[in-house]
Amino acid sequence: MPEKEQHAWWKEAVIYQIYPRSFMDANGDGIGDLAGITQRIPYLSKLGVDVVWLSPVYASPNDDNGYDISDYRAIMKDFGTMEDFDTLLATAHKAGIKIVMDLVVNHTSDEHAWFIESRKSRTNPYRDYYIWRDGKDGKEPNNWESCFSGPAWQYDEATGQYYLHLFSKKQVDLNWENPKVRDEVYDLMTFWCDKGIDGFRMDVISMISKDQRFPDGPVKPDGYGDFSPYCISGPRVHEFLQEMNQRVLSKYDLLTVGEAAGVTIDEAKKYARSDGKELGMVFQFEHVGSENGKGSIVEKWTTGKPKLQNVRAILNKWQTELEGCAWNSLYWDNHDQPRCVSMFGNDAPEYRVRSAKMLATCLHMMKGTPYIYQGEELGMTNTHWASIDDCRDVEEKNAWQQFVIDQKRVSPEIMLACFDNMARDNARTPMQWDASKNAGFTTGTPWIAVNPNYTEINAASEINDPDSVFNYYRKLIQLRHEHEVIVYGKFIPLLEDDPNIYAYARELDGKKLLVACNWTKDEAPCTLFDDTNGTELISNYKEHKKGALQPYEARVVLL
Ligand code: GLC
Ligand code: CA
């Protein structure tokens, strides 16, 4: 018998991520806003999701679209006011939808009041809120490269020292060693909890504790050092999270999910430990990064696509190894990833709908809490980047500057091909609501171009089509709400060496679920269902074939 899993509302929930800038623009300035989200709550109710995770909505100069916060207790002007936020929260709650906030506390904006003070003098009371170091031989304190290209240290004339920024130079790393910083973070979290929010998604939370020796990292092909060994799951990260848990999280009933790029299984078991002393779950990145840096053009950039064998091995490992000791999060997409139907599926018109449904099935029948990223439920696709001028993302702009312009390691054409494949902006094109101008996202000029395929792919047409990707997601969500085995059943991998098919079973209290997905555009041999006579819960085909799965066919049978 499988172990009895501790029940929790957030284990039974389906989460929907909103990237507010691109979701719905209510006032016609071309930028999505809180009032726009409030307008679309009925849409989310119809889809049936339990929780909305809002990417950051706090005051920000938007160097990284809100992941650079200048005031944690204020709303970004582009998105509206605190009143708009309160209305959104109340409207969502009335509809039975919970709200999870993004918590970005590895770094603040350089325009945050703390940093404005900190950089004034070496003796300023806020100096120690950030990580300042002397240079070495007239250069940076060490060789670390930032995630967005170039050195992770920025020289500041005023005081003659460098500050650390693992992301852009306008995203300054906080010094978590300083107890005052931690107090500030717990206070601002409490502020939001007292407002009645339902949880936090914690941005790059695995990076808050740095090795205080600040050693050089292993040198990468571009000459910079890799900070990961000294910043990812650093020396005090679990201590800090346990403190945060005691001081804030344990006082409320929250969903907590830590973004944890580079996290290992062993570390994940600590972050998401089932005794609830740290976080509810983490986002790991192995399955979305299996091609990154491989056969790649430069650094993470590639035109390659993930292979079933790799993705399956990674996800099966996470499923089986966390069994009974920690909880998984499940996702293909978020605001940092290309669109899953383009990356893992097949966005050619003849396969798009089928493969989008197949991917959804493959993920939503697994054990863990599923996350849907806005537009994924419509089968939205990557777009085409014809010029760097169309891109908006600081990561893309910096990579272009470094690899195309400065180092000339890659031609503009090839870099753009990489962008078509995996640029974050693919996820950030406006939500496609209907076939009217700008996809119904705005009456103004959208801050980033709408994907031209909105006339084909949009919510209005899908809601009324029983065979749409939207209605398929709706059904997957319903099934999870109806069948305990989908939430708590033990995961059992099947056909682990099959070249075409991702298959597994789930088991709970004598109930068994059989799931099989053909990841290819060709018919693939499969006898899993031939001698079973269970109930089909969902499939993207009406008719099945004995001994085979049809192109991108997905089947779920309850025995
Ligand atoms: C996380 C966010 C990403 C952001 C980065 C820095 O990875 O998801 O969008 O750029 O952190 O805050
Ligand atoms: Ca707006």
Side-chain angles (χ1 to χ4, degrees):
M1 280 294 282
E3 265 188 69
K4 265 275 180 242
E5 195 85 52
Q6 274 247 296
H7 288 204
W9 67 264
W10 48 266
K11 293 182 177 173
E12 297 165 15
V14 177
I15 323 299
Y16 188 89
Q17 183 192 351
I18 289 182
Y19 195 67
R21 181 163 290 269
S22 303
F23 191 63
M24 181 65 210
D25 174 22
N27 68 352
D29 66 354
I31 298 174
D33 43 47
L34 296 179
I37 301 173
T38 304
Q39 278 175 19
R40 296 297 180 173
I41 293 288
Y43 171 82
L44 300 173
S45 293
K46 180 154 199 130
L47 180 59
V49 294
D50 307 286
V51 179
V52 163
W53 148 28
L54 289 178
S55 274
V57 297
Y58 316 92
S60 165
N62 284 307
D63 186 51
D64 187 18
N65 290 349
Y67 283 90
D68 47 319
I69 297 171
S70 53
D71 184 348
Y72 290 95
R73 288 177 175 79
I75 297 295
M76 189 193 300
K77 290 211 175 62
D78 288 343
F79 292 173
T81 61
M82 194 55 93
E83 228 184 317
D84 294 330
F85 180 84
D86 294 338
T87 306
L88 167 58
L89 186 64
T91 311
H93 280 170
K94 215 170 181 181
I97 295 175
K98 295 184 181 346
I99 299 281
V100 162
M101 303 288 282
D102 220 307
L103 181 74
V104 188
V105 289
N106 173 69
H107 45 265
T108 73
S109 163
D110 65 339
E111 298 180 34
H112 192 289
W114 302 333
F115 190 71
I116 295 175
E117 282 303 311
S118 186
R119 78 195 315 176
K120 281 185 181 162
S121 75
R122 293 193 186 199
T123 53
N124 188 284
Y126 287 89
R127 186 66 170 179
D128 261 356
Y129 271 46
Y130 297 89
I131 302 168
W132 292 98
R133 288 291 181 278
D134 290 327
K136 241 191 198 159
D137 315 321
K139 288 203 313 235
E140 288 80 17
N142 69 23
N143 69 357
W144 295 356
E145 178 170 41
S146 91
C147 291
F148 294 157
S149 311
W153 297 93
Q154 176 68 24
Y155 184 69
D156 206 45
E157 292 279 348
T159 54
Q161 282 191 312
Y162 290 82
Y163 66 81
L164 180 71
H165 62 91
L166 296 184
F167 293 88
S168 92
K169 55 178 185 254
K170 286 181 68 65
Q171 294 170 297
V172 193
D173 281 61
L174 280 165
N175 176 20
W176 276 72
E177 300 291 320
N178 181 349
K180 281 198 221 139
V181 166
R182 307 206 296 274
D183 287 346
E184 299 267 17
V185 170
Y186 307 149
D187 281 356
L188 72 89
M189 290 173 74
T190 302
F191 169 85
W192 287 98
C193 289
D194 287 346
K195 253 188 185 295
I197 63 143
D198 304 287
F200 294 108
R201 173 269 187 187
M202 301 184 187
D203 193 65
V204 293
I205 203 70
S206 56
M207 302 188 190
I208 56 176
S209 167
K210 281 90 180 168
D211 186 325
Q212 293 300 297
R213 296 167 303 163
F214 293 92
D216 279 341
V219 178
K220 306 195 249 185
D222 66 5
Y224 288 105
D226 178 9
F227 66 66
S228 336
Y230 307 107
C231 298
I232 294 194
S233 300
R236 296 181 70 190
V237 70
H238 298 292
E239 178 196 332
F240 293 157
L241 288 177
Q242 284 166 34
E243 182 184 76
M244 176 196 281
N245 187 295
Q246 271 168 13
R247 297 265 306 270
V248 188
L249 305 178
S250 58
K251 302 191 173 146
Y252 306 86
D253 185 15
L254 302 173
L255 177 156
T256 52
V257 53
E259 190 202 21
V263 72
T264 61
I265 299 252
D266 284 341
E267 284 295 334
K269 285 182 186 168
K270 296 185 204 158
Y271 287 113
R273 37 196 279 183
S274 38
D275 65 4
K277 292 262 157 51
E278 292 189 20
L279 305 177
M281 55 193 141
V282 290
F283 290 128
Q284 58 82 19
F285 284 80
E286 283 184 79
H287 68 302
V288 291
S290 67
E291 276 304 303
N292 292 12
K294 276 191 204 150
S296 68
I297 315 294
V298 50
E299 300 304 315
K300 86 165 202 184
W301 300 96
T302 173
T303 52
K305 301 284 186 193
K307 296 169 187 62
L308 167 64
Q309 285 80 346
N310 297 337
V311 176
R312 177 177 54 203
I314 292 165
L315 287 176
N316 284 0
K317 177 184 74 175
W318 281 89
Q319 288 283 306
T320 50
E321 297 210 15
L322 293 197
E323 181 69 46
C325 50
W327 192 253
N328 269 296
S329 65
L330 306 171
Y331 73 95
W332 293 127
D333 271 353
N334 60 41
H335 64 292
D336 296 329
Q337 301 296 329
R339 292 284 179 179
C340 66
V341 69
S342 303
M343 197 58 167
F344 296 89
N346 189 330
D347 62 11
E350 64 271 40
Y351 301 118
R352 184 185 64 86
V353 170
R354 285 244 205 261
S355 69
K357 293 177 181 174
M358 181 281 287
L359 288 170
T361 316
C362 194
L363 195 80
H364 280 247
M365 292 297 121
M366 286 184 190
K367 185 167 185 176
T369 299
Y371 289 76
I372 300 167
Y373 177 71
Q374 67 184 45
E376 179 187 336
E377 78 282 12
L378 305 175
M380 276 178 62
T381 68
N382 281 3
T383 192
H384 170 56
W385 302 102
S387 151
I388 182 67
D389 299 331
D390 299 333
C391 299
R392 297 287 176 272
D393 180 15
V394 60
E395 181 185 42
E396 287 149 36
K397 289 184 186 165
N398 289 1
W400 187 272
Q401 183 65 39
Q402 182 182 347
F403 304 134
V404 180
I405 313 280
D406 296 345
Q407 301 177 344
K408 301 200 173 24
R409 285 167 68 197
V410 49
S411 71
E413 294 71 33
I414 292 184
M415 199 67 202
L416 288 170
C418 292
F419 285 179
D420 281 357
N421 192 43
M422 62 188 302
R424 304 198 301 181
D425 274 339
N426 287 300
R428 302 175 181 186
T429 63
M431 178 73 176
Q432 293 166 202
W433 292 107
D434 58 41
S436 72
K437 194 165 174 242
N438 295 322
F441 162 72
T442 181
T443 54
T445 308
W447 70 279
I448 188 170
V450 174
N451 188 322
N453 65 18
Y454 70 91
T455 49
E456 302 285 308
I457 305 171
N458 61 68
S461 70
E462 293 202 24
I463 287 171
N464 297 319
D465 170 5
D467 291 327
S468 65
V469 179
F470 177 87
N471 280 306
Y472 195 90
Y473 268 84
R474 212 175 150 206
K475 181 150 183 212
L476 286 170
I477 297 166
Q478 266 169 22
L479 287 171
R480 180 165 283 261
H481 290 152
E482 285 162 8
H483 296 273
E484 240 197 352
V485 63
I486 299 177
V487 179
Y488 293 111
K490 183 174 182 178
F491 178 94
I492 299 151
L494 300 171
L495 312 181
E496 284 182 272
D497 298 317
D498 193 287
N500 312 305
I501 290 171
Y502 196 148
Y504 55 88
R506 302 286 308 281
E507 276 183 11
L508 185 76
D509 301 333
K511 288 219 169 93
K512 186 169 182 174
L513 198 68
L514 212 51
V515 183
C517 299
N518 179 358
W519 273 55
T520 76
K521 63 176 173 26
D522 303 307
E523 188 170 300
C526 177
T527 54
L528 263 188
F529 299 100
D530 287 358
D531 302 314
T532 62
N533 47 6
T535 321
E536 179 165 288
L537 294 190
I538 193 166
S539 174
N540 56 356
Y541 276 80
K542 295 204 169 73
E543 312 279 333
H544 306 293
K545 283 196 173 170
K546 212 176 156 66
L549 287 183
Q550 300 159 85
Y552 295 114
E553 180 170 0
R555 273 183 91 173
V556 180
V557 171
L558 185 64
L559 304 179

mmCIF file of all heavy atoms in Angstrom, residues 24-34 78-79 441-442, ligand 2:
data_model
loop_
_atom_site.group_PDB
_atom_site.id
_atom_site.type_symbol
_atom_site.label_atom_id
_atom_site.label_comp_id
_atom_site.label_asym_id
_atom_site.label_seq_id
_atom_site.Cartn_x
_atom_site.Cartn_y
_atom_site.Cartn_z
ATOM 1 N N MET A 24 -4.258 41.544 -19.611
ATOM 2 C CA MET A 24 -5.425 42.298 -20.085
ATOM 3 C C MET A 24 -5.254 43.765 -19.720
ATOM 4 O O MET A 24 -5.022 44.092 -18.565
ATOM 5 C CB MET A 24 -6.702 41.742 -19.426
ATOM 6 C CG MET A 24 -7.970 42.439 -19.877
ATOM 7 S SD MET A 24 -8.282 42.133 -21.658
ATOM 8 C CE MET A 24 -9.141 43.645 -22.096
ATOM 9 N N ASP A 25 -5.378 44.607 -20.727
ATOM 10 C CA ASP A 25 -5.213 46.051 -20.521
ATOM 11 C C ASP A 25 -6.595 46.717 -20.438
ATOM 12 O O ASP A 25 -7.325 46.749 -21.420
ATOM 13 C CB ASP A 25 -4.402 46.626 -21.694
ATOM 14 C CG ASP A 25 -4.311 48.147 -21.641
ATOM 15 O OD1 ASP A 25 -4.492 48.709 -20.539
ATOM 16 O OD2 ASP A 25 -4.060 48.753 -22.706
ATOM 17 N N ALA A 26 -6.923 47.242 -19.270
ATOM 18 C CA ALA A 26 -8.263 47.812 -19.085
ATOM 19 C C ALA A 26 -8.347 49.280 -19.490
ATOM 20 O O ALA A 26 -9.432 49.785 -19.762
ATOM 21 C CB ALA A 26 -8.705 47.662 -17.630
ATOM 22 N N ASN A 27 -7.205 49.988 -19.518
ATOM 23 C CA ASN A 27 -7.304 51.439 -19.756
ATOM 24 C C ASN A 27 -6.663 51.896 -21.064
ATOM 25 O O ASN A 27 -6.484 53.092 -21.292
ATOM 26 C CB ASN A 27 -6.730 52.223 -18.567
ATOM 27 C CG ASN A 27 -5.219 52.025 -18.451
ATOM 28 O OD1 ASN A 27 -4.642 51.204 -19.166
ATOM 29 N ND2 ASN A 27 -4.581 52.777 -17.582
ATOM 30 N N GLY A 28 -6.301 50.959 -21.920
ATOM 31 C CA GLY A 28 -5.870 51.340 -23.262
ATOM 32 C C GLY A 28 -4.485 51.945 -23.386
ATOM 33 O O GLY A 28 -4.153 52.525 -24.416
ATOM 34 N N ASP A 29 -3.633 51.785 -22.361
ATOM 35 C CA ASP A 29 -2.268 52.323 -22.510
ATOM 36 C C ASP A 29 -1.307 51.276 -23.074
ATOM 37 O O ASP A 29 -0.106 51.513 -23.162
ATOM 38 C CB ASP A 29 -1.744 52.886 -21.177
ATOM 39 C CG ASP A 29 -1.557 51.798 -20.123
ATOM 40 O OD1 ASP A 29 -1.938 50.637 -20.382
ATOM 41 O OD2 ASP A 29 -1.028 52.111 -19.039
ATOM 42 N N GLY A 30 -1.834 50.122 -23.445
ATOM 43 C CA GLY A 30 -0.990 49.108 -24.082
ATOM 44 C C GLY A 30 -0.326 48.158 -23.102
ATOM 45 O O GLY A 30 0.400 47.246 -23.501
ATOM 46 N N ILE A 31 -0.568 48.379 -21.808
ATOM 47 C CA ILE A 31 0.060 47.560 -20.764
ATOM 48 C C ILE A 31 -1.041 46.907 -19.934
ATOM 49 O O ILE A 31 -1.969 47.589 -19.478
ATOM 50 C CB ILE A 31 0.941 48.446 -19.853
ATOM 51 C CG1 ILE A 31 2.061 49.090 -20.671
ATOM 52 C CG2 ILE A 31 1.514 47.633 -18.692
ATOM 53 C CD1 ILE A 31 2.901 50.092 -19.900
ATOM 54 N N GLY A 32 -0.936 45.622 -19.746
ATOM 55 C CA GLY A 32 -1.911 44.922 -18.913
ATOM 56 C C GLY A 32 -1.929 45.512 -17.513
ATOM 57 O O GLY A 32 -0.955 46.134 -17.079
ATOM 58 N N ASP A 33 -3.029 45.337 -16.794
ATOM 59 C CA ASP A 33 -3.136 45.959 -15.474
ATOM 60 C C ASP A 33 -4.059 45.157 -14.564
ATOM 61 O O ASP A 33 -4.669 44.168 -14.979
ATOM 62 C CB ASP A 33 -3.622 47.411 -15.614
ATOM 63 C CG ASP A 33 -4.750 47.533 -16.626
ATOM 64 O OD1 ASP A 33 -5.681 46.721 -16.552
ATOM 65 O OD2 ASP A 33 -4.673 48.419 -17.516
ATOM 66 N N LEU A 34 -4.126 45.600 -13.307
ATOM 67 C CA LEU A 34 -4.918 44.867 -12.309
ATOM 68 C C LEU A 34 -6.401 44.900 -12.639
ATOM 69 O O LEU A 34 -7.106 43.897 -12.493
ATOM 70 C CB LEU A 34 -4.665 45.448 -10.906
ATOM 71 C CG LEU A 34 -3.227 45.307 -10.398
ATOM 72 C CD1 LEU A 34 -3.090 45.938 -9.012
ATOM 73 C CD2 LEU A 34 -2.814 43.844 -10.340
ATOM 74 N N ASP A 78 2.030 51.428 -13.647
ATOM 75 C CA ASP A 78 1.453 50.891 -14.890
ATOM 76 C C ASP A 78 0.273 49.955 -14.622
ATOM 77 O O ASP A 78 -0.590 49.778 -15.474
ATOM 78 C CB ASP A 78 2.500 50.052 -15.641
ATOM 79 C CG ASP A 78 3.580 50.910 -16.276
ATOM 80 O OD1 ASP A 78 3.362 52.125 -16.428
ATOM 81 O OD2 ASP A 78 4.642 50.350 -16.614
ATOM 82 N N PHE A 79 0.284 49.315 -13.466
ATOM 83 C CA PHE A 79 -0.731 48.285 -13.188
ATOM 84 C C PHE A 79 -1.925 48.817 -12.409
ATOM 85 O O PHE A 79 -2.926 48.120 -12.286
ATOM 86 C CB PHE A 79 -0.120 47.113 -12.401
ATOM 87 C CG PHE A 79 0.878 46.288 -13.174
ATOM 88 C CD1 PHE A 79 1.613 45.290 -12.544
ATOM 89 C CD2 PHE A 79 1.094 46.490 -14.539
ATOM 90 C CE1 PHE A 79 2.543 44.525 -13.247
ATOM 91 C CE2 PHE A 79 2.012 45.732 -15.250
ATOM 92 C CZ PHE A 79 2.741 44.750 -14.597
ATOM 93 N N PHE A 441 -6.546 42.398 -26.439
ATOM 94 C CA PHE A 441 -5.733 42.656 -25.240
ATOM 95 C C PHE A 441 -5.758 44.131 -24.866
ATOM 96 O O PHE A 441 -5.804 44.501 -23.697
ATOM 97 C CB PHE A 441 -4.293 42.188 -25.488
ATOM 98 C CG PHE A 441 -3.276 42.768 -24.538
ATOM 99 C CD1 PHE A 441 -3.231 42.357 -23.215
ATOM 100 C CD2 PHE A 441 -2.362 43.732 -24.973
ATOM 101 C CE1 PHE A 441 -2.290 42.908 -22.331
ATOM 102 C CE2 PHE A 441 -1.426 44.280 -24.106
ATOM 103 C CZ PHE A 441 -1.393 43.860 -22.773
ATOM 104 N N THR A 442 -5.714 44.994 -25.883
ATOM 105 C CA THR A 442 -5.675 46.438 -25.623
ATOM 106 C C THR A 442 -6.348 47.185 -26.765
ATOM 107 O O THR A 442 -6.375 46.705 -27.903
ATOM 108 C CB THR A 442 -4.218 46.940 -25.478
ATOM 109 O OG1 THR A 442 -4.235 48.343 -25.203
ATOM 110 C CG2 THR A 442 -3.389 46.701 -26.730
HETATM 111 CA CA CA B 2 -3.142 49.444 -18.822
#
